[in-house]
Amino acid sequence: MGLSNIMSATPAEYLYSHAPERPVLFFSPAILQQTATRFIDGFPGLVTYAVKSNPGEAVIQNLFAAGINGYDVASIPEIELITRMAPGAAMHYNNPVRSRGEIARAVELGVRSFSVDSHSELAKLKALVPASAEISVRFKLPVSGAAYDFGAKFGATVEKATALLAEAGEMGFTTSLTFHPGTQCTDPAAWDAYIRTAAQIATDAGVRLARLNVGGGFPAHRLSDVTPELEAIFALIDRVTDEAFGEARPALVCEPGRGLVAESFSLATQVRAVRDDAHVFLNDGIYGALAELALVGIIDRTEVRTGEGAPRGGAALPRIVFGPTCDSVDRLPGELALPADIEEGDYVLFHGMGAYSTATVTAFNGFGAIDIATVMALH
Ligand SMILES: *Cc1c(COP(=O)(O)O)cnc(C)c1O
Protein backbone atom coordinates (compact mmCIF):
# COMPACT_ATOMS: atom_id res chain seq x y z
CA MET A 1 0.00 0.00 0.00
CA GLY A 2 1.40 3.35 -1.00
CA LEU A 3 0.86 6.54 0.97
CA SER A 4 0.73 9.56 -1.31
CA ASN A 5 2.47 12.66 0.02
CA ILE A 6 0.68 15.09 -2.25
CA MET A 7 -2.57 16.13 -0.65
CA SER A 8 -5.65 16.55 -2.84
CA ALA A 9 -8.59 18.73 -1.90
CA THR A 10 -11.23 16.01 -2.35
CA PRO A 11 -11.58 12.46 -3.70
CA ALA A 12 -13.28 13.87 -6.83
CA GLU A 13 -10.24 16.04 -7.62
CA TYR A 14 -7.88 13.09 -7.09
CA LEU A 15 -9.95 10.74 -9.26
CA TYR A 16 -10.06 13.28 -12.06
CA SER A 17 -6.34 14.00 -11.97
CA HIS A 18 -5.04 10.44 -11.35
CA ALA A 19 -7.67 8.22 -13.06
CA PRO A 20 -6.65 5.36 -10.72
CA GLU A 21 -7.32 1.80 -11.83
CA ARG A 22 -6.63 0.43 -8.37
CA PRO A 23 -8.92 1.04 -5.37
CA VAL A 24 -8.02 4.16 -3.38
CA LEU A 25 -8.71 4.83 0.28
CA PHE A 26 -9.02 8.55 0.93
CA PHE A 27 -7.97 9.64 4.40
CA SER A 28 -9.06 12.87 6.07
CA PRO A 29 -6.85 13.66 9.09
CA ALA A 30 -9.22 16.54 9.91
CA ILE A 31 -12.20 14.21 10.33
CA LEU A 32 -10.14 11.75 12.38
CA GLN A 33 -9.04 14.53 14.73
CA GLN A 34 -12.62 15.86 15.00
CA THR A 35 -13.91 12.41 15.91
CA ALA A 36 -11.15 11.99 18.49
CA THR A 37 -12.15 15.31 20.03
CA ARG A 38 -15.80 14.23 20.05
CA PHE A 39 -14.86 11.12 22.08
CA ILE A 40 -12.44 12.95 24.40
CA ASP A 41 -14.97 15.72 25.15
CA GLY A 42 -18.00 13.45 25.37
CA PHE A 43 -16.87 10.21 26.99
CA PRO A 44 -16.80 10.39 30.82
CA GLY A 45 -13.40 8.71 31.20
CA LEU A 46 -10.22 7.68 29.37
CA VAL A 47 -10.51 7.14 25.61
CA THR A 48 -8.18 4.46 24.25
CA TYR A 49 -7.96 3.41 20.60
CA ALA A 50 -8.33 -0.24 19.53
CA VAL A 51 -5.34 -0.43 17.18
CA LYS A 52 -6.52 -3.49 15.24
CA SER A 53 -9.33 -1.57 13.55
CA ASN A 54 -6.80 0.45 11.56
CA PRO A 55 -3.10 0.32 12.46
CA GLY A 56 -1.99 2.84 9.82
CA GLU A 57 0.88 5.02 11.03
CA ALA A 58 -0.86 8.18 9.86
CA VAL A 59 -3.92 7.14 11.88
CA ILE A 60 -1.94 6.64 15.10
CA GLN A 61 0.01 9.86 14.51
CA ASN A 62 -3.18 11.92 14.13
CA LEU A 63 -4.96 10.30 17.06
CA PHE A 64 -1.95 10.91 19.30
CA ALA A 65 -1.76 14.53 18.11
CA ALA A 66 -5.47 14.92 18.89
CA GLY A 67 -4.87 13.78 22.47
CA ILE A 68 -5.58 10.03 22.44
CA ASN A 69 -3.15 8.84 25.11
CA GLY A 70 -4.17 5.21 25.52
CA TYR A 71 -4.18 2.27 23.11
CA ASP A 72 -5.80 -1.16 23.22
CA VAL A 73 -3.18 -3.50 21.79
CA ALA A 74 -3.41 -7.20 21.02
CA SER A 75 0.03 -8.26 19.79
CA ILE A 76 3.71 -7.42 20.09
CA PRO A 77 3.81 -5.70 16.65
CA GLU A 78 0.94 -3.44 17.79
CA ILE A 79 2.80 -2.67 21.04
CA GLU A 80 5.95 -1.84 19.07
CA LEU A 81 3.93 0.36 16.71
CA ILE A 82 2.48 2.37 19.61
CA THR A 83 5.86 2.59 21.35
CA ARG A 84 7.22 4.12 18.14
CA MET A 85 4.29 6.33 17.07
CA ALA A 86 2.81 7.39 20.43
CA PRO A 87 5.69 7.40 22.91
CA GLY A 88 4.60 7.50 26.53
CA ALA A 89 0.98 6.50 25.80
CA ALA A 90 -0.69 3.85 27.98
CA MET A 91 -1.00 0.42 26.42
CA HIS A 92 -3.70 -2.02 27.52
CA TYR A 93 -2.92 -5.55 26.38
CA ASN A 94 -6.52 -6.67 26.08
CA ASN A 95 -6.16 -9.81 24.05
CA PRO A 96 -7.03 -12.33 26.80
CA VAL A 97 -4.83 -15.10 25.39
CA ARG A 98 -1.08 -14.52 24.97
CA SER A 99 2.03 -16.68 24.96
CA ARG A 100 4.51 -16.43 27.85
CA GLY A 101 7.04 -14.90 25.47
CA GLU A 102 4.56 -12.22 24.43
CA ILE A 103 3.74 -11.36 28.06
CA ALA A 104 7.41 -11.01 28.97
CA ARG A 105 8.12 -8.81 25.95
CA ALA A 106 5.07 -6.63 26.69
CA VAL A 107 6.26 -6.09 30.28
CA GLU A 108 9.69 -5.16 28.88
CA LEU A 109 8.02 -2.58 26.62
CA GLY A 110 6.18 -1.02 29.56
CA VAL A 111 2.71 -2.59 29.38
CA ARG A 112 1.07 -2.64 32.84
CA SER A 113 -2.55 -3.49 32.06
CA PHE A 114 -3.82 -6.89 30.95
CA SER A 115 -7.26 -8.42 30.44
CA VAL A 116 -8.00 -11.98 31.47
CA ASP A 117 -10.94 -14.36 31.16
CA SER A 118 -9.58 -17.68 32.42
CA HIS A 119 -7.80 -19.06 35.50
CA SER A 120 -5.00 -20.53 33.40
CA GLU A 121 -4.18 -17.17 31.79
CA LEU A 122 -4.35 -15.42 35.20
CA ALA A 123 -1.76 -17.90 36.52
CA LYS A 124 0.52 -17.03 33.56
CA LEU A 125 0.19 -13.32 34.34
CA LYS A 126 0.85 -13.90 38.05
CA ALA A 127 4.16 -15.51 37.13
CA LEU A 128 5.24 -12.85 34.63
CA VAL A 129 3.88 -9.36 35.35
CA PRO A 130 4.69 -6.91 38.19
CA ALA A 131 2.35 -7.11 41.21
CA SER A 132 1.32 -3.49 40.69
CA ALA A 133 -0.14 -4.25 37.25
CA GLU A 134 -3.84 -3.86 36.43
CA ILE A 135 -5.77 -7.04 35.76
CA SER A 136 -9.08 -6.44 33.95
CA VAL A 137 -11.38 -9.43 34.10
CA ARG A 138 -13.35 -9.69 30.88
CA PHE A 139 -16.91 -10.93 31.22
CA LYS A 140 -19.72 -11.53 28.77
CA LEU A 141 -23.50 -11.53 28.63
CA PRO A 142 -25.77 -13.08 26.03
CA VAL A 143 -25.33 -10.68 23.09
CA SER A 144 -27.83 -8.05 22.03
CA GLY A 145 -27.79 -5.11 19.69
CA ALA A 146 -24.47 -5.61 17.94
CA ALA A 147 -23.55 -6.60 14.41
CA TYR A 148 -21.84 -9.75 15.57
CA ASP A 149 -21.19 -11.60 18.76
CA PHE A 150 -17.88 -10.85 20.45
CA GLY A 151 -18.74 -13.12 23.39
CA ALA A 152 -18.42 -16.19 21.18
CA LYS A 153 -14.65 -16.14 21.59
CA PHE A 154 -13.78 -14.12 24.70
CA GLY A 155 -15.29 -13.26 28.06
CA ALA A 156 -15.91 -15.25 31.23
CA THR A 157 -19.43 -15.96 32.43
CA VAL A 158 -20.60 -13.78 35.30
CA GLU A 159 -19.94 -16.55 37.81
CA LYS A 160 -16.42 -17.23 36.58
CA ALA A 161 -15.65 -13.50 36.30
CA THR A 162 -16.61 -13.09 39.96
CA ALA A 163 -14.16 -15.83 40.98
CA LEU A 164 -11.41 -14.40 38.72
CA LEU A 165 -11.85 -10.89 40.11
CA ALA A 166 -11.64 -12.12 43.71
CA GLU A 167 -8.55 -14.17 42.82
CA ALA A 168 -6.84 -11.22 41.10
CA GLY A 169 -7.60 -9.12 44.19
CA GLU A 170 -6.04 -11.73 46.49
CA MET A 171 -2.93 -11.75 44.28
CA GLY A 172 -2.55 -8.04 45.01
CA PHE A 173 -3.19 -6.76 41.48
CA THR A 174 -5.07 -3.54 40.71
CA THR A 175 -8.50 -4.95 39.91
CA SER A 176 -10.73 -3.86 37.06
CA LEU A 177 -13.46 -5.25 34.85
CA THR A 178 -13.87 -5.08 31.09
CA PHE A 179 -16.38 -6.15 28.48
CA HIS A 180 -17.08 -5.62 24.78
CA PRO A 181 -20.77 -5.31 23.86
CA GLY A 182 -20.09 -6.45 20.27
CA THR A 183 -19.00 -4.40 17.30
CA GLN A 184 -21.28 -1.82 15.62
CA CYS A 185 -23.54 -1.90 18.68
CA THR A 186 -26.48 0.33 17.85
CA ASP A 187 -28.47 -0.54 20.98
CA PRO A 188 -27.35 1.55 24.02
CA ALA A 189 -29.25 -0.86 26.30
CA ALA A 190 -26.36 -3.31 25.83
CA TRP A 191 -24.07 -0.99 27.86
CA ASP A 192 -26.78 -0.58 30.49
CA ALA A 193 -26.96 -4.32 31.15
CA TYR A 194 -23.17 -4.77 31.13
CA ILE A 195 -22.48 -1.89 33.55
CA ARG A 196 -25.10 -3.05 36.07
CA THR A 197 -23.73 -6.59 35.88
CA ALA A 198 -20.20 -5.27 36.44
CA ALA A 199 -21.35 -3.63 39.69
CA GLN A 200 -22.90 -6.91 40.80
CA ILE A 201 -19.73 -8.87 39.98
CA ALA A 202 -17.60 -6.43 42.02
CA THR A 203 -19.98 -6.66 45.00
CA ASP A 204 -20.08 -10.45 44.88
CA ALA A 205 -16.29 -10.66 44.59
CA GLY A 206 -15.87 -8.25 47.50
CA VAL A 207 -13.55 -6.12 45.36
CA ARG A 208 -13.55 -2.37 44.76
CA LEU A 209 -12.97 -1.73 41.06
CA ALA A 210 -10.19 0.63 40.06
CA ARG A 211 -11.56 0.94 36.54
CA LEU A 212 -14.38 -0.28 34.36
CA ASN A 213 -13.56 -0.61 30.66
CA VAL A 214 -16.80 -0.39 28.65
CA GLY A 215 -15.19 -1.73 25.50
CA GLY A 216 -15.46 -0.72 21.90
CA GLY A 217 -18.57 -1.35 19.87
CA PHE A 218 -19.46 2.32 19.34
CA PRO A 219 -21.32 2.36 16.04
CA ALA A 220 -20.22 4.04 12.83
CA HIS A 221 -22.52 5.58 10.23
CA ARG A 222 -23.10 2.72 7.75
CA LEU A 223 -26.67 3.20 6.54
CA SER A 224 -27.77 6.62 5.27
CA ASP A 225 -30.89 6.73 7.40
CA VAL A 226 -29.42 5.38 10.67
CA THR A 227 -27.22 8.04 12.29
CA PRO A 228 -25.34 6.78 15.34
CA GLU A 229 -25.92 8.80 18.49
CA LEU A 230 -22.61 8.68 20.30
CA GLU A 231 -23.45 11.41 22.81
CA ALA A 232 -26.59 9.53 23.88
CA ILE A 233 -24.46 6.41 24.50
CA PHE A 234 -21.88 8.45 26.46
CA ALA A 235 -24.65 9.97 28.62
CA LEU A 236 -26.18 6.57 29.27
CA ILE A 237 -22.83 5.10 30.30
CA ASP A 238 -22.25 8.01 32.71
CA ARG A 239 -25.73 7.82 34.28
CA VAL A 240 -25.85 4.04 34.61
CA THR A 241 -22.35 3.92 36.15
CA ASP A 242 -23.51 6.37 38.83
CA GLU A 243 -26.70 4.42 39.46
CA ALA A 244 -25.01 1.03 39.59
CA PHE A 245 -21.90 1.91 41.62
CA GLY A 246 -22.83 4.98 43.68
CA GLU A 247 -19.94 5.81 46.02
CA ALA A 248 -17.83 2.99 44.59
CA ARG A 249 -17.89 4.42 41.05
CA PRO A 250 -14.74 3.27 39.21
CA ALA A 251 -12.87 5.36 36.65
CA LEU A 252 -14.19 4.60 33.15
CA VAL A 253 -12.22 3.56 30.08
CA CYS A 254 -13.49 2.95 26.56
CA GLU A 255 -11.63 1.37 23.65
CA PRO A 256 -13.35 2.27 20.37
CA GLY A 257 -11.90 1.11 17.08
CA ARG A 258 -14.64 1.53 14.49
CA GLY A 259 -16.34 4.48 16.22
CA LEU A 260 -13.12 6.51 16.17
CA VAL A 261 -11.69 5.73 12.74
CA ALA A 262 -14.48 4.66 10.34
CA GLU A 263 -15.68 8.11 9.31
CA SER A 264 -12.24 9.42 8.36
CA PHE A 265 -11.79 7.19 5.28
CA SER A 266 -13.75 6.78 2.04
CA LEU A 267 -13.02 4.02 -0.47
CA ALA A 268 -13.10 4.67 -4.20
CA THR A 269 -13.62 1.59 -6.33
CA GLN A 270 -13.81 1.58 -10.10
CA VAL A 271 -16.48 -0.10 -12.23
CA ARG A 272 -14.73 -2.72 -14.38
CA ALA A 273 -17.90 -3.73 -16.14
CA VAL A 274 -21.65 -3.33 -16.09
CA ARG A 275 -22.22 -6.77 -17.55
CA ASP A 276 -25.05 -6.84 -20.07
CA ASP A 277 -26.57 -3.86 -18.31
CA ALA A 278 -27.18 -5.90 -15.14
CA HIS A 279 -24.45 -6.88 -12.70
CA VAL A 280 -21.83 -4.35 -11.62
CA PHE A 281 -18.23 -5.57 -11.31
CA LEU A 282 -15.95 -3.43 -9.12
CA ASN A 283 -12.15 -3.50 -8.77
CA ASP A 284 -12.48 -4.27 -5.04
CA GLY A 285 -14.61 -6.73 -3.11
CA ILE A 286 -14.86 -8.95 -0.07
CA TYR A 287 -11.25 -10.14 -0.30
CA GLY A 288 -10.13 -6.51 -0.29
CA ALA A 289 -11.19 -3.40 1.59
CA LEU A 290 -14.87 -4.40 1.46
CA ALA A 291 -14.30 -7.62 3.44
CA GLU A 292 -16.38 -6.52 6.38
CA LEU A 293 -19.55 -5.92 4.37
CA ALA A 294 -20.04 -9.68 4.19
CA LEU A 295 -19.92 -9.87 8.01
CA VAL A 296 -21.47 -6.65 9.23
CA GLY A 297 -23.77 -5.79 6.30
CA ILE A 298 -23.82 -3.35 3.44
CA ILE A 299 -22.71 0.29 3.61
CA ASP A 300 -25.20 2.24 1.49
CA ARG A 301 -23.47 5.62 1.90
CA THR A 302 -22.21 5.59 -1.66
CA GLU A 303 -21.57 8.21 -4.27
CA VAL A 304 -20.96 7.49 -7.96
CA ARG A 305 -18.73 9.66 -10.13
CA THR A 306 -17.75 9.49 -13.76
CA GLY A 307 -14.14 9.02 -14.80
CA GLU A 308 -13.96 12.83 -15.02
CA GLY A 309 -15.01 13.10 -11.38
CA ALA A 310 -18.52 14.45 -12.05
CA PRO A 311 -21.37 13.12 -9.91
CA ARG A 312 -23.85 10.67 -11.46
CA GLY A 313 -27.36 11.63 -10.51
CA GLY A 314 -29.50 9.05 -12.31
CA ALA A 315 -32.41 7.32 -10.55
CA ALA A 316 -31.26 4.58 -8.17
CA LEU A 317 -31.51 0.99 -9.32
CA PRO A 318 -30.73 -1.97 -7.00
CA ARG A 319 -27.82 -3.96 -8.43
CA ILE A 320 -25.94 -7.10 -7.60
CA VAL A 321 -22.33 -6.05 -7.10
CA PHE A 322 -19.33 -8.36 -7.56
CA GLY A 323 -15.66 -7.93 -6.66
CA PRO A 324 -12.76 -8.57 -9.06
CA THR A 325 -11.65 -12.09 -8.11
CA CYS A 326 -12.73 -15.31 -9.82
CA ASP A 327 -14.34 -16.54 -6.62
CA SER A 328 -18.13 -16.54 -6.75
CA VAL A 329 -18.53 -15.60 -3.07
CA ASP A 330 -16.80 -12.31 -3.94
CA ARG A 331 -20.10 -10.45 -3.95
CA LEU A 332 -21.44 -7.66 -1.73
CA PRO A 333 -24.37 -8.77 0.42
CA GLY A 334 -27.87 -8.18 -0.98
CA GLU A 335 -28.17 -5.47 -3.59
CA LEU A 336 -26.80 -1.96 -3.69
CA ALA A 337 -28.84 0.93 -5.10
CA LEU A 338 -26.71 2.64 -7.75
CA PRO A 339 -27.59 5.26 -10.38
CA ALA A 340 -29.21 3.59 -13.40
CA ASP A 341 -26.80 5.37 -15.77
CA ILE A 342 -23.68 3.91 -14.08
CA GLU A 343 -21.00 2.97 -16.64
CA GLU A 344 -17.72 1.14 -16.98
CA GLY A 345 -14.93 3.44 -15.76
CA ASP A 346 -17.13 5.18 -13.17
CA TYR A 347 -16.05 5.34 -9.56
CA VAL A 348 -18.22 4.09 -6.69
CA LEU A 349 -17.22 5.74 -3.41
CA PHE A 350 -18.11 4.11 -0.10
CA HIS A 351 -18.05 6.47 2.90
CA GLY A 352 -17.27 5.47 6.47
CA MET A 353 -14.60 2.92 5.44
CA GLY A 354 -11.79 3.55 7.96
CA ALA A 355 -12.27 0.52 10.20
CA TYR A 356 -11.42 -3.10 9.34
CA SER A 357 -10.67 -2.13 5.73
CA THR A 358 -6.92 -1.60 5.24
CA ALA A 359 -6.37 -3.94 8.17
CA THR A 360 -7.75 -7.07 6.52
CA VAL A 361 -7.04 -6.69 2.79
CA THR A 362 -5.79 -9.93 1.23
CA ALA A 363 -3.77 -10.47 -1.96
CA PHE A 364 -6.11 -13.28 -3.03
CA ASN A 365 -6.13 -13.96 -6.77
CA GLY A 366 -3.54 -11.25 -7.40
CA PHE A 367 -5.73 -8.36 -6.24
CA GLY A 368 -5.47 -6.34 -3.02
CA ALA A 369 -3.14 -3.50 -4.05
CA ILE A 370 -4.77 -0.38 -2.62
CA ASP A 371 -3.45 3.18 -2.54
CA ILE A 372 -4.05 5.58 0.32
CA ALA A 373 -4.39 9.26 -0.48
CA THR A 374 -4.67 12.05 2.06
CA VAL A 375 -7.36 14.63 1.34
CA MET A 376 -8.48 17.91 2.88
CA ALA A 377 -12.14 16.83 2.84
CA LEU A 378 -14.04 13.67 1.90
CA HIS A 379 -16.97 15.40 0.16
C1 LIG B 1 -11.65 -5.16 18.45
C2 LIG B 1 -11.68 -4.72 19.85
C3 LIG B 1 -12.14 -3.44 20.16
C4 LIG B 1 -12.69 -2.48 19.13
O1 LIG B 1 -13.97 -2.82 18.75
P1 LIG B 1 -14.83 -1.85 17.80
O2 LIG B 1 -16.10 -2.57 17.63
O3 LIG B 1 -14.07 -1.65 16.55
O4 LIG B 1 -15.00 -0.56 18.55
C5 LIG B 1 -12.10 -3.04 21.48
N1 LIG B 1 -11.65 -3.87 22.44
C6 LIG B 1 -11.21 -5.11 22.19
C7 LIG B 1 -10.71 -5.96 23.30
C8 LIG B 1 -11.23 -5.57 20.88
O5 LIG B 1 -10.79 -6.82 20.63
Side-chain angles (χ1 to χ4, degrees), residues 4-21:
S4 148
N5 285 320
I6 302 148
M7 206 193 268
S8 302
T10 60
E13 182 197 276
Y14 180 99
L15 295 172
Y16 177 61
S17 57
H18 291 69
E21 292 200 354

Side-chain angles (χ1 to χ4, degrees), residues 103-368:
I103 296 169
R105 179 71 181 134
V107 169
E108 230 171 69
L109 289 166
V111 177
R112 292 294 180 271
S113 178
F114 301 81
S115 73
V116 74
D117 65 359
S118 64
H119 293 282
S120 47
E121 293 299 304
L122 180 58
K124 268 192 205 172
L125 291 171
K126 170 83 175 107
L128 293 162
V129 313
S132 59
E134 174 184 50
I135 299 293
S136 278
V137 175
R138 179 155 168 186
F139 70 100
K140 66 176 169 189
L141 295 175
V143 76
S144 73
Y148 60 85
D149 183 1
F150 265 43
K153 185 167 182 186
F154 293 127
T157 60
V158 169
E159 198 181 15
K160 186 167 166 184
T162 308
L164 282 167
L165 188 66
E167 199 179 324
E170 281 156 23
M171 289 172 172
F173 287 119
T174 299
T175 42
S176 297
L177 280 172
T178 184
F179 61 84
H180 193 304
T183 202
Q184 185 67 16
C185 185
T186 46
D187 180 8
W191 277 278
D192 188 314
Y194 269 102
I195 293 167
R196 291 184 200 282
T197 306
Q200 193 59 50
I201 292 172
T203 302
D204 291 350
V207 162
R208 191 178 173 113
L209 292 188
R211 300 201 285 187
L212 173 62
N213 182 332
V214 299
F218 298 89
H221 191 189
R222 298 176 69 88
L223 299 175
S224 341
D225 52 5
V226 187
T227 313
E229 297 188 30
L230 288 181
E231 283 72 17
I233 298 174
F234 298 155
L236 178 142
I237 289 170
D238 194 33
R239 172 177 60 78
V240 175
T241 306
D242 262 344
E243 288 173 9
F245 286 91
E247 286 303 296
R249 178 178 167 126
L252 291 174
V253 180
C254 68
E255 49 186 17
R258 182 189 306 285
L260 257 179
V261 76
E263 197 57 29
S264 59
F265 283 77
S266 295
L267 174 73
T269 60
Q270 192 172 35
V271 177
R272 295 158 68 86
V274 183
R275 215 168 48 170
D276 296 338
D277 206 27
H279 301 162
V280 171
F281 279 66
L282 299 179
N283 64 351
D284 200 9
I286 69 155
Y287 292 98
L290 293 165
E292 239 215 346
L293 271 59
L295 298 166
V296 177
I298 200 86
I299 287 184
D300 73 358
R301 290 176 59 216
T302 57
E303 178 186 333
V304 177
R305 294 192 171 259
T306 67
E308 285 71 47
R312 283 248 185 241
L317 188 68
R319 305 268 198 175
I320 290 177
V321 177
F322 290 107
T325 70
C326 279
D327 188 318
S328 56
V329 308
D330 190 5
R331 177 194 155 170
L332 302 191
E335 293 181 338
L336 186 62
L338 294 168
D341 53 348
I342 194 169
E343 277 179 20
E344 178 185 337
D346 283 1
Y347 292 100
V348 180
L349 284 104
F350 293 81
H351 296 298
M353 285 296 302
Y356 309 105
S357 50
T358 57
T360 54
V361 171
T362 76
F364 178 55
N365 227 183
F367 296 95

